[in-house]
Amino acid sequence: MQLGVIGLGRMGGDITRRLMKDGHRCVVFDRDAAAVGRLGDDGAGVARDLADLVRQLEPPRAVWVMLPAGAPTEDTIAALAGLLSAGDTVIDGGNTFYKDDVRRAKALREKGLTYVDVGTSGGVWGLARGYCLMIGGDKSVVDRLDPIFRTLAPGAGDIPRTQRPDDADPRAVQGYIHTGPVGSGHFVKMVHNGIEYGLMQAYAEGFDILKNRGREGLPEDERFELNLSDIAEVWRRGSVVSSWLLDLTAQALAGDAALAKFTGAVADSGEGRWTIEAAIEEAVPADVLAAALFARFRSREEHTFGEKLLSAMRFGFGGHVEGPPA
Amino acid sequence: MQLGVIGLGRMGGDITRRLMKDGHRCVVFDRDAAAVGRLGDDGAGVARDLADLVRQLEPPRAVWVMLPAGAPTEDTIAALAGLLSAGDTVIDGGNTFYKDDVRRAKALREKGLTYVDVGTSGGVWGLARGYCLMIGGDKSVVDRLDPIFRTLAPGAGDIPRTQRPDDADPRAVQGYIHTGPVGSGHFVKMVHNGIEYGLMQAYAEGFDILKNRGREGLPEDERFELNLSDIAEVWRRGSVVSSWLLDLTAQALAGDAALAKFTGAVADSGEGRWTIEAAIEEAVPADVLAAALFARFRSREEHTFGEKLLSAMRFGFGGHVEGPPA
Amino acid sequence: MQLGVIGLGRMGGDITRRLMKDGHRCVVFDRDAAAVGRLGDDGAGVARDLADLVRQLEPPRAVWVMLPAGAPTEDTIAALAGLLSAGDTVIDGGNTFYKDDVRRAKALREKGLTYVDVGTSGGVWGLARGYCLMIGGDKSVVDRLDPIFRTLAPGAGDIPRTQRPDDADPRAVQGYIHTGPVGSGHFVKMVHNGIEYGLMQAYAEGFDILKNRGREGLPEDERFELNLSDIAEVWRRGSVVSSWLLDLTAQALAGDAALAKFTGAVADSGEGRWTIEAAIEEAVPADVLAAALFARFRSREEHTFGEKLLSAMRFGFGGHVEGPPA
Amino acid sequence: MQLGVIGLGRMGGDITRRLMKDGHRCVVFDRDAAAVGRLGDDGAGVARDLADLVRQLEPPRAVWVMLPAGAPTEDTIAALAGLLSAGDTVIDGGNTFYKDDVRRAKALREKGLTYVDVGTSGGVWGLARGYCLMIGGDKSVVDRLDPIFRTLAPGAGDIPRTQRPDDADPRAVQGYIHTGPVGSGHFVKMVHNGIEYGLMQAYAEGFDILKNRGREGLPEDERFELNLSDIAEVWRRGSVVSSWLLDLTAQALAGDAALAKFTGAVADSGEGRWTIEAAIEEAVPADVLAAALFARFRSREEHTFGEKLLSAMRFGFGGHVEGPPA
């Protein structure tokens, strides 16, 4: 079917390509004309601006916005709201905060427009592997757009089948689901990323413990120089901790077991933060997910003010001057 | 080749079966005669006691001990030490603390015996999937026993190949590795389980947040009744959090999304605890792995004394009586 | 000076009493007529409603609102805004979220009203000990209201003097400070409570470890039945952990070292939660404060869904049935 | 009474001085002759070596060992064991691991010697304030040495009295207690230090959040430049978080609110680590105490290997290159 796509970064560009490969017709816009041109070369209809994009689509239109969360998405959707007609649909495929979805959908509804929020997982691998989609919105709209979602999703592949009840949603096995009302798609994707932080930190701490087993000062016969690359590789087979993140870890360690090209200043994005806020709002203990987030905060500082205060207190009660551990 | 196996619980029994299926000859013993009998029916040589088992093996002998860590393993190995001859090998395939390995190997070495510690992952799935093996010990002994390990390991299977350097240990791809000197096999397995706790807790917290998004009191349009079974299933395809633990989660939730048959009192075993102790010994921060362990401790208590003390302090400074949150 | 006080719960009532004892004139209102009557008996001017209260005060008026955060405070201040005149001041002495202060002050400013937010610590002890005040708002207004704050504050007392620079704010030593613009008073009080949670949890965990040193199963000569009451008492003198919270702990344990009258379901209020959200907003790691909050969440559940999921996964990979720890 | 003191560092020296000021007779030894000389000038009997020290004391002797935990203490006590006579007592006043106490006491008992472990809190303030003492050992010996402990302890001072039952141990109010059998004194002191880490980290995180409220990028009217020195000072009066550690914090911040002379690399000693291990041994959740310890570990690293691995995974799944947070 027909789809407008706004935002042709890596994600938006690849989504468009995957859709066109499966026969859908895309009309695209990005403020980077070169990006638009590249997609045009690949067969997309190109638009000069938002109005032009809307004009090239037949009603009821569907426009997929794939922009950074916050102002870029907000402003674009506001502009689209003034250009689209009743019955049209805005799809936010980015990493929007779910409460913004709820607010926006309410505003659009007053103009007869519908809103669908799609949590999209897949990263640089999505073009080839497909995108895991978590979709929030009205059932009728989500159903109408099903061909789009089906194409983008990874499909069942050769992943072992789970024994599921007969009335289970068959879409889940294809790699996409309708999660519920507006906002729920991004909510589920947000928690997905929160879990991702926790999983990553669990591996990070484990490999750190393995790495430091070779450190000076340990008893000689309890000190091991371990081959982290082999360990990651062997755990991929028959072990309880096998995962896609472990596959990536094995690849990284096979390339350079010292990971020398990375400094270790780790960025975080909204989802990890919002997950903790959601946990707090629900009064759910989330020790691991919070610790994973805080580890990233800490990784970006040389020292925190709190650490200086610890040293100041130690000096105050014990006359301790800073130095290596006693 | 020939192997003695002591301890015919689920793990020991299945290991023996997997070995015999591949043509190895096993002589088995367990203090449960019925277990011995069942393995005998399956083709194993049966022993009346440890001495009998030793007698039935040709030197240089190898005996795989697959018993609960602690006293059962300790006592059995001590008894074996008095029965075996110089050049024989004791393999501890259980969940032994790596410092016990180091100590035991030293004692056995004085009698000319060698010791190999094998961290064994696989659980109830090992017979079919194979066992991921992390092997510590002298190179010559580990090499001599290679046929045993190769049979037990899962093999390369259809898991996508990592691009690894030409001189990488080819065994890792087959699902087993020689980790280094005695103790290092169980050390690596220990950290494996520590990571496992962290991964599990990350999923647990994430699904808890999803589950509680339907709880009373949240703003009506930010409250979602989410289908956890569908969510687990969809994440298995194309998402960053796909893993074998997620596969198991999807199976469990497909069976009963409320998990009503579980109370939530979660056991822990030595490895999760020792991992934290190793982190402390190495001065490695392990916030996530520790939080995962503590969550299990807490899960087994109705209330902690610490919680009562919190209430007592709140009563002391604010006159607060216990009740639902303000 | 003259002050209106709205909200005569424990805090509002005691604040009024402390002010009147020092010669200030208070006009009070509460929707509970009995509370109003009691303060009237103690010498306060009594008001029938908000309009009556405003009428009884001379401009420029100052009205202290001491109500639960959220709707009660919000609605009362909105009503006051319609009754007060330019130059009058609303003081929010409750536990308001600092972002609400900022928003409200902006709205009141448009009507020529000023707004002061006062974080008030003191609980049931404030009437006698005085209240530690953290005050946000315009300098001129805070200065004008100084007599009120000075009366409410504890005063220097016999607490040992810190050597402070000559230009340090002399009010801090008296137990009150002007923290900065509107919102900053409640912000500082919020972090105060966040720290309070962390301190309390540190004691709670420590005493829990002491308590459980007597538990069955520990090696007999490493198992101690400790007298927690004596320990809390002795730490009050000459130790690094002495504090007012420890004083309260000692009192509670002296009364009943088993704390049998407390169940251990621990409430939390907004400040502890908002502190974590502020940390996240600032990208400051706050592992201890977050863990302290989560411990309270967990204390109110019999079991979490996450714990059930852990058990389900353990059953999935190991056939483990729930029970006591292995 | 008479006491031998071995180890004349800050703690050992001050303890000797406090004892002599109260009329006790001390014979001292340290391998640093200058330290011995200084105490001799202050009135102590000086010993050339351990044998000389033993010779100068009348039986039943009591020798206080105040050396770094581990080898220095271990070796000294072993040497003393060969010099002392049945009925003599060794007091370990250092920071010994309680399991070492239990082991040592058993060995000494075979020679008719008794052993007392004294957890000693007080740091650089002890000479003036007195030392909070937690004493493990046989009742008869602890009672015999009571004059020593009474002198070292802070005494009741002007700290408000807790209402305690009539049969409560009167020593607690004087600042020392008999905690139970050998090992329990150091166990209680160990937990004391574990709590200390948690308290310190709670303040550290809170002040970090206050400090960073002034950071760039926050909404202008929610951004506050807070005066940390005033805040610490005001909290000392009438607030729930007042404590001796807060007093020290106020002093440090009054001197330099930026704490510029501290880098923030924070040492840790055995007690904080052993507290977590004790919690694990008892299956007590200790999230806050563990997080406080891990924060110190992290403070001493530029980056952890785990952080590099996080970056490597992010690069693997998202092509993310390291940089400031998105």
Side-chain angles (χ1 to χ4, degrees), chain C residues 41-306:
Chain C
D41 295 346
D42 290 353
V46 303
R48 280 189 317 278
D49 52 27
L50 294 186
D52 187 31
L53 179 136
V54 169
R55 215 176 300 124
Q56 295 189 39
L57 297 169
E58 285 159 40
R61 302 174 187 87
V63 182
W64 186 296
V65 180
M66 202 68 195
L67 293 166
T73 298
E74 188 75 28
D75 296 349
T76 299
I77 293 180
L80 276 176
L83 298 166
L84 294 171
S85 317
D88 291 350
T89 299
V90 173
I91 305 165
D92 181 353
N95 284 323
T96 288
F97 184 43
Y98 69 98
K99 298 193 181 190
D100 288 333
D101 292 319
V102 172
R103 174 178 50 74
R104 273 182 210 152
K106 206 175 289 179
L108 292 181
R109 201 173 298 131
E110 289 171 12
K111 306 190 176 191
L113 303 174
T114 51
Y115 181 93
V116 172
D117 56 292
V118 181
T120 311
S121 183
V124 294
W125 299 76
L127 178 54
R129 293 209 316 173
Y131 298 90
C132 177
L133 303 178
M134 295 141 265
I135 307 162
D138 292 348
K139 182 177 185 322
S140 60
V141 186
V142 174
D143 284 350
R144 179 159 59 81
L145 298 170
D146 190 75
I148 297 293
F149 301 137
R150 180 175 301 270
T151 293
L152 290 176
D158 54 1
I159 290 168
R161 286 297 179 105
T162 305
Q163 191 169 348
R164 284 162 58 84
D166 292 341
D167 60 348
D169 187 339
R171 291 173 291 192
V173 180
Q174 301 299 323
Y176 68 112
I177 53 170
H178 180 203
T179 51
V182 162
S184 64
H186 278 140
F187 185 87
V188 172
K189 173 58 162 52
M190 174 194 81
V191 176
H192 168 278
N193 285 30
I195 292 173
E196 171 192 312
Y197 281 30
L199 300 178
M200 289 172 71
Q201 185 65 19
Y203 288 116
E205 293 179 5
F207 278 93
D208 212 351
I209 296 169
L210 293 172
K211 175 82 171 178
N212 279 283
R213 194 33 49 170
R215 83 187 299 168
E216 300 283 333
L218 293 171
E220 211 41 51
D221 52 6
E222 297 173 4
R223 186 181 161 208
F224 311 124
E225 303 275 359
L226 299 166
N227 184 319
L228 302 193
S229 172
D230 283 354
I231 292 171
E233 186 62 37
V234 83
W235 285 349
R236 297 179 66 219
R237 288 174 177 79
S239 110
V240 172
V241 304
S242 63
S243 71
W244 191 55
L245 284 166
L246 182 65
D247 294 350
L248 299 176
T249 297
Q251 285 166 25
L253 292 169
D256 171 19
L259 301 177
K261 75 172 173 178
F262 299 99
T263 61
V266 190
D268 75 284
S269 60
E271 291 94 342
R273 300 178 176 208
W274 303 328
T275 298
I276 306 307
E277 291 173 0
I280 291 174
E281 197 176 358
E282 301 172 8
V284 167
D287 290 274
V288 157
L289 305 192
L293 178 65
F294 293 146
R296 294 188 174 200
F297 289 170
R298 178 61 188 83
S299 80
R300 303 196 301 260
E301 304 292 326
E302 195 178 351
H303 276 293
T304 67
F305 184 74

Side-chain angles (χ1 to χ4, degrees), chain A residues 106 132 156 160 162 164 173 192 205 209 213 215 221 230 233 236-237 239 242 244 282 286 288-289, chain B residues 99 106 132 156 160 162 164 173 192 205 209 213 215 221 230 233 236-237 239 242 244 282 286 288-289:
Chain A
K106 207 175 288 179
C132 176
T162 304
R164 284 163 56 85
V173 180
H192 168 278
E205 294 179 5
I209 296 169
R213 194 33 49 172
R215 84 187 298 168
D221 52 6
D230 283 355
E233 186 63 36
R236 299 179 65 218
R237 289 175 177 80
S239 110
S242 62
W244 191 55
E282 301 172 7
V288 156
L289 305 192
Chain B
K99 298 193 181 190
K106 205 174 291 180
C132 177
T162 305
R164 284 162 58 83
V173 181
H192 168 279
E205 293 180 5
I209 296 170
R213 196 30 50 169
R215 84 187 298 167
D221 52 7
D230 283 355
E233 185 63 36
R236 298 180 65 219
R237 289 176 177 78
S239 110
S242 62
W244 190 55
E282 301 172 9
V288 156
L289 305 192

